[in-house]
Amino acid sequence: MARLNILRYPDPRLHTVAREVREVDERIRRLVDDMLETMYDAEGVGLAATQVDVHERVIVMDTSDSRDRPLVLINPRIVEASTEMAVNEEGCLSVPQIYDRVERHARVTVQALDRAGEPYELQAEGLTSVCVQHEMDHLLGKVFVEYLSPLKRDRIRTKMLKRTRDELQRMR
Ligand code: K2U
Ligand code: ZN
């Protein structure tokens, strides 16, 4: 397994729309395993393939307290979403140390393929619901800061660019 590099906002590759996975083969299973290792190492509760610069519809998640219940969603589709909405504080591994409130569906039903390529259905609420909607946005090239005001988004963009520049300077 390998830890993968996580793209950092405002990298334009984060705005790529991911394509469907044609076959759940060894290459995809290796990607899933590497994404899980990367997600646990980064202490995230979810990770989309877009964030590691692979533009295929693959998501991994683990919202369990014990951090030992991985969820794999390949070619996920939301088939039902509650009219009830909920506002939650969100963060993103591609926008480190930035948190803000985003409104999403309180509950969603998702159909996907698992790591073996078998179809299943997930009824999600709470953190799982927020996370799966956040990750599915990533597969559409959308980052959660795009729900914020243009002023907030520009401030975050400036902060991220400075932080990345400072880190590159320190590495020299
Ligand atoms: O996509 C990612 O960058 C992973 C996010 C997933 C996530 C976003 C919003 C709400 C829940 C999960 C990271 O796990 S951000 C870290 C985090 C963890 C728990 C709650 C909020 C943020
Ligand atoms: Zn994210």
Side-chain angles (χ1 to χ4, degrees):
M1 296 221 278
R3 268 178 292 175
L4 306 173
N5 177 55
I6 296 175
L7 298 179
R8 184 171 291 183
Y9 185 82
D11 191 312
R13 292 171 289 181
L14 285 170
H15 301 299
T16 308
V17 177
R19 61 184 179 278
E20 289 263 307
V21 169
R22 295 163 63 94
E23 183 189 1
V24 181
D25 56 12
E26 277 317 302
R27 176 182 68 86
I28 294 293
R29 279 188 276 276
R30 171 66 186 270
L31 171 64
V32 162
D33 294 344
D34 289 350
M35 286 175 65
L36 282 167
E37 180 178 352
T38 304
M39 179 192 76
Y40 286 123
D41 177 70
E43 297 178 358
V45 298
L47 187 67
T50 309
Q51 294 177 272
V52 293
D53 200 20
V54 174
H55 301 291
E56 298 186 68
R57 292 182 61 77
V58 179
I59 290 169
V60 297
M61 293 170 47
D62 188 340
T63 54
S64 69
D65 292 335
S66 47
R67 306 288 286 154
D68 60 358
R69 307 247 332 259
L71 269 176
V72 174
L73 298 92
I74 298 168
N75 295 341
R77 285 187 316 123
I78 292 179
V79 294
E80 204 169 346
S82 62
T83 50
E84 183 194 349
M85 305 298 280
V87 177
N88 290 277
E89 178 103 332
E90 296 195 14
C92 183
L93 297 175
S94 294
V95 197
Q97 293 148 36
I98 300 290
Y99 297 89
D100 213 320
R101 296 162 64 77
V102 176
E103 184 181 50
R104 296 189 189 271
H105 296 287
R107 290 172 305 284
V108 290
T109 302
V110 184
Q111 288 177 354
L113 303 178
D114 63 16
R115 190 178 177 282
E118 293 301 316
Y120 74 99
E121 187 167 281
L122 170 72
Q123 317 269 348
E125 61 181 13
L127 179 59
T128 305
S129 172
V130 177
C131 185
V132 74
Q133 292 176 77
H134 176 110
E135 302 310 335
M136 289 187 68
D137 269 354
H138 275 302
L139 298 182
L140 291 172
K142 188 164 187 172
V143 183
F144 88 99
V145 298
E146 294 168 49
Y147 291 98
L148 309 181
S149 68
L151 179 64
K152 276 190 176 180
R153 195 162 57 236
D154 287 349
R155 282 181 177 157
I156 291 166
R157 180 189 183 87
T158 304
K159 186 181 288 188
M160 287 290 110
L161 286 171
K162 182 182 183 312
R163 202 183 286 170
T164 302
R165 200 168 44 242
D166 292 351
E167 282 175 14
L168 286 173
Q169 285 285 12
R170 279 199 295 275
M171 283 161 61
R172 285 206 175 105

